[in-house]
Amino acid sequence: MKNKKTIIKRRIGVILTYLSLLIIDLVFEYCKIYQLTYVLGIIGIIAFVVFVTSFVTTYLKSGLWRFIHKPLKQLDEREIILTSNSLRYAYSIFTIFVLVLLLVFAITEIYVDIVLVVSLILFAHILP
Protein backbone atom coordinates (compact mmCIF):
# COMPACT_ATOMS: atom_id res chain seq x y z
CA MET A 1 0.00 0.00 0.00
CA LYS A 2 2.87 2.35 0.81
CA ASN A 3 4.42 1.67 -2.61
CA LYS A 4 1.15 2.63 -4.31
CA LYS A 5 1.03 5.93 -2.40
CA THR A 6 4.63 6.63 -3.39
CA ILE A 7 3.84 6.01 -7.06
CA ILE A 8 0.80 8.30 -6.86
CA LYS A 9 2.89 11.02 -5.17
CA ARG A 10 5.54 10.75 -7.90
CA ARG A 11 2.95 10.98 -10.65
CA ILE A 12 1.39 14.04 -9.05
CA GLY A 13 4.86 15.56 -8.70
CA VAL A 14 5.68 14.89 -12.35
CA ILE A 15 2.37 16.39 -13.47
CA LEU A 16 2.94 19.45 -11.26
CA THR A 17 6.42 19.88 -12.70
CA TYR A 18 5.17 19.69 -16.29
CA LEU A 19 2.16 21.96 -15.68
CA SER A 20 4.19 24.60 -13.88
CA LEU A 21 6.74 24.60 -16.71
CA LEU A 22 3.89 25.03 -19.19
CA ILE A 23 2.40 27.89 -17.16
CA ILE A 24 5.78 29.64 -17.01
CA ASP A 25 6.03 29.44 -20.81
CA LEU A 26 2.46 30.59 -21.37
CA VAL A 27 2.86 33.56 -19.03
CA PHE A 28 6.12 34.56 -20.71
CA GLU A 29 4.69 34.25 -24.23
CA TYR A 30 1.53 36.15 -23.30
CA CYS A 31 3.53 38.92 -21.66
CA LYS A 32 5.82 39.10 -24.70
CA ILE A 33 2.88 39.66 -27.04
CA TYR A 34 0.75 41.84 -24.77
CA GLN A 35 1.88 43.36 -21.51
CA LEU A 36 2.99 42.15 -18.12
CA THR A 37 0.44 42.73 -15.37
CA TYR A 38 0.78 42.19 -11.65
CA VAL A 39 -1.51 39.19 -11.77
CA LEU A 40 0.52 37.52 -14.52
CA GLY A 41 3.73 38.33 -12.68
CA ILE A 42 2.41 36.70 -9.52
CA ILE A 43 1.17 33.68 -11.49
CA GLY A 44 4.59 33.36 -13.12
CA ILE A 45 6.40 33.57 -9.78
CA ILE A 46 4.04 31.02 -8.20
CA ALA A 47 4.51 28.69 -11.19
CA PHE A 48 8.29 29.02 -10.87
CA VAL A 49 8.19 28.23 -7.14
CA VAL A 50 5.91 25.24 -7.79
CA PHE A 51 8.26 24.08 -10.55
CA VAL A 52 11.38 24.25 -8.40
CA THR A 53 9.65 22.65 -5.41
CA SER A 54 8.06 19.83 -7.39
CA PHE A 55 11.28 19.23 -9.35
CA VAL A 56 13.37 18.95 -6.21
CA THR A 57 10.90 16.74 -4.34
CA THR A 58 9.87 14.57 -7.28
CA TYR A 59 13.12 14.11 -9.15
CA LEU A 60 15.97 14.75 -6.75
CA LYS A 61 14.73 13.63 -3.33
CA SER A 62 12.71 10.63 -4.51
CA GLY A 63 15.50 9.14 -6.61
CA LEU A 64 13.56 9.41 -9.86
CA TRP A 65 16.37 11.49 -11.38
CA ARG A 66 18.91 8.73 -10.73
CA PHE A 67 16.60 6.11 -12.24
CA ILE A 68 16.07 8.15 -15.41
CA HIS A 69 19.79 8.83 -15.83
CA LYS A 70 21.15 5.41 -14.89
CA PRO A 71 23.42 3.73 -17.45
CA LEU A 72 21.89 0.69 -19.14
CA LYS A 73 24.63 -1.52 -17.67
CA GLN A 74 23.25 -0.91 -14.18
CA LEU A 75 19.65 -1.87 -15.07
CA ASP A 76 18.17 -5.36 -14.92
CA GLU A 77 16.05 -6.79 -17.77
CA ARG A 78 12.74 -5.57 -16.36
CA GLU A 79 14.06 -2.05 -15.84
CA ILE A 80 15.51 -1.97 -19.36
CA ILE A 81 12.14 -2.96 -20.87
CA LEU A 82 10.29 -0.45 -18.68
CA THR A 83 12.72 2.35 -19.54
CA SER A 84 12.64 1.51 -23.24
CA ASN A 85 8.85 1.55 -23.42
CA SER A 86 8.49 4.75 -21.43
CA LEU A 87 11.18 6.51 -23.47
CA ARG A 88 9.61 5.45 -26.75
CA TYR A 89 6.18 6.78 -25.82
CA ALA A 90 7.45 9.92 -24.11
CA TYR A 91 9.75 11.01 -26.92
CA SER A 92 7.21 10.14 -29.61
CA ILE A 93 4.64 12.40 -27.97
CA PHE A 94 7.29 15.04 -27.28
CA THR A 95 8.46 15.06 -30.91
CA ILE A 96 4.93 15.45 -32.25
CA PHE A 97 4.24 18.22 -29.72
CA VAL A 98 7.40 20.15 -30.62
CA LEU A 99 6.82 19.79 -34.35
CA VAL A 100 3.24 21.07 -34.04
CA LEU A 101 4.45 23.91 -31.83
CA LEU A 102 7.14 24.90 -34.34
CA LEU A 103 4.60 24.71 -37.15
CA VAL A 104 2.26 27.03 -35.26
CA PHE A 105 5.10 29.45 -34.61
CA ALA A 106 6.09 29.36 -38.28
CA ILE A 107 2.54 29.93 -39.52
CA THR A 108 1.86 32.78 -37.10
CA GLU A 109 5.36 34.22 -37.68
CA ILE A 110 6.10 34.35 -33.96
CA TYR A 111 9.75 34.11 -33.07
CA VAL A 112 10.90 31.35 -30.78
CA ASP A 113 12.34 32.76 -27.54
CA ILE A 114 15.15 31.43 -25.45
CA VAL A 115 12.69 30.75 -22.60
CA LEU A 116 10.73 28.36 -24.80
CA VAL A 117 13.89 26.69 -26.07
CA VAL A 118 15.27 26.22 -22.56
CA SER A 119 11.97 24.89 -21.26
CA LEU A 120 11.72 22.40 -24.14
CA ILE A 121 15.28 21.21 -23.49
CA LEU A 122 14.50 20.85 -19.80
CA PHE A 123 11.22 19.13 -20.61
CA ALA A 124 13.02 16.65 -22.87
CA HIS A 125 15.62 16.04 -20.17
CA ILE A 126 13.12 15.18 -17.44
CA LEU A 127 11.13 12.80 -19.62
CA PRO A 128 9.68 10.22 -18.95
Side-chain angles (χ1 to χ4, degrees):
M1 188 68 172
K2 184 179 178 184
N3 190 24
K4 190 169 187 162
K5 286 183 180 180
T6 305
I7 291 171
I8 291 171
K9 284 182 182 179
R10 283 185 183 174
R11 287 182 180 168
I12 291 171
V14 168
I15 290 169
L16 276 175
T17 305
Y18 292 161
L19 285 177
S20 59
L21 188 60
L22 177 67
I23 291 170
I24 291 169
D25 284 336
L26 290 175
V27 166
F28 183 80
E29 291 297 325
Y30 182 84
C31 292
K32 181 181 75 171
I33 295 170
Y34 299 105
Q35 190 175 10
L36 177 65
T37 63
Y38 290 111
V39 174
L40 286 175
I42 291 171
I43 291 172
I45 291 170
I46 290 171
F48 182 75
V49 170
V50 169
F51 172 76
V52 170
T53 305
S54 63
F55 180 80
V56 168
T57 56
T58 303
Y59 288 93
L60 300 181
K61 287 186 178 178
S62 73
L64 190 60
W65 184 264
R66 285 186 303 247
F67 180 72
I68 293 171
H69 293 88
K70 235 185 217 183
L72 286 177
K73 293 177 184 177
Q74 294 179 358
L75 300 176
D76 61 13
E77 291 177 16
R78 183 190 60 82
E79 291 173 335
I80 290 173
I81 292 170
L82 180 67
T83 304
S84 174
N85 287 336
S86 63
L87 286 173
R88 183 174 51 244
Y89 290 122
Y91 283 110
S92 297
I93 293 169
F94 176 74
T95 302
I96 291 168
F97 170 74
V98 169
L99 290 174
V100 168
L101 183 69
L102 291 176
L103 182 65
V104 167
F105 275 98
I107 289 172
T108 58
E109 296 181 359
I110 298 174
Y111 296 104
V112 178
D113 298 58
I114 191 69
V115 173
L116 181 63
V117 172
V118 168
S119 64
L120 288 174
I121 290 170
L122 181 62
F123 186 70
H125 196 62
I126 60 177
L127 284 177

